[in-house]
Amino acid sequence: MKIVILGDTHIPKRAKHFPKRLLAELKTADAIIHTGDFQTTDVYNDLRVFAPVHGVIGNVDSEELQQVLPSSLLLPFDDVTIGVTHGHGKGKTTEKRALLAFEHEQVDAVIFGHSHIPFHKQIGDITLFNPGSATDKRREKQFSFGLLYIQKNTLRFEHVFYDSKD
């Protein structure tokens, strides 16, 4: 199973469309995880053309999205469970807030966004992963999103980095 992971797309404020590099991966995705800050329902609906979308709200998402999407998700894929949250809030780092969101759950991975900073770290038995942003890299050198491959209950995360959001 191939899952495309993205977040902090901020469309249409930071980009008008999905970058070509991202579109290439979306075309072969079995599922899509979005960590929030879609900004509008159009982005959510545009992604649904490619594969089922599992998304959470971010701190800049429209009221309409806030009524449709949860603030966090537990996603079972085969025998693994993935927690998804945006990661915004007060106090602590984004990574710590994301991990705390699932402190009472059995998760194999926690996927989060908010910081726009690509992040991949193992903490005990839990993988923490932030895809970065495909359209708003801020101070990062490159735009990014993530890929997750699940095979026989094994998770393999990787970042995809590129220079142009076109």
Side-chain angles (χ1 to χ4, degrees), residues 38-88:
F38 294 82
Q39 200 160 337
T40 68
T41 54
D42 290 341
V43 177
Y44 176 73
N45 290 329
D46 289 347
L47 286 171
R48 292 173 55 196
V49 169
F50 298 100
V53 177
H54 307 280
V56 295
I57 58 166
N59 57 302
V60 301
D61 284 324
S62 68
E63 268 188 49
E64 189 177 1
L65 276 171
Q66 291 177 32
Q67 293 173 4
V68 176
L69 297 174
S71 59
S72 65
L73 277 175
L74 280 175
L75 299 173
F77 290 105
D78 297 329
D79 287 335
V80 298
T81 301
I82 299 169
V84 183
T85 188
H86 186 59
H88 63 288

Side-chain angles (χ1 to χ4, degrees), residues 107-123:
V107 293
D108 299 287
V110 172
I111 298 173
F112 64 99
H114 187 59
S115 68
H116 298 228
I117 300 170
F119 186 86
H120 186 188
K121 185 176 182 179
Q122 191 73 28
I123 298 180

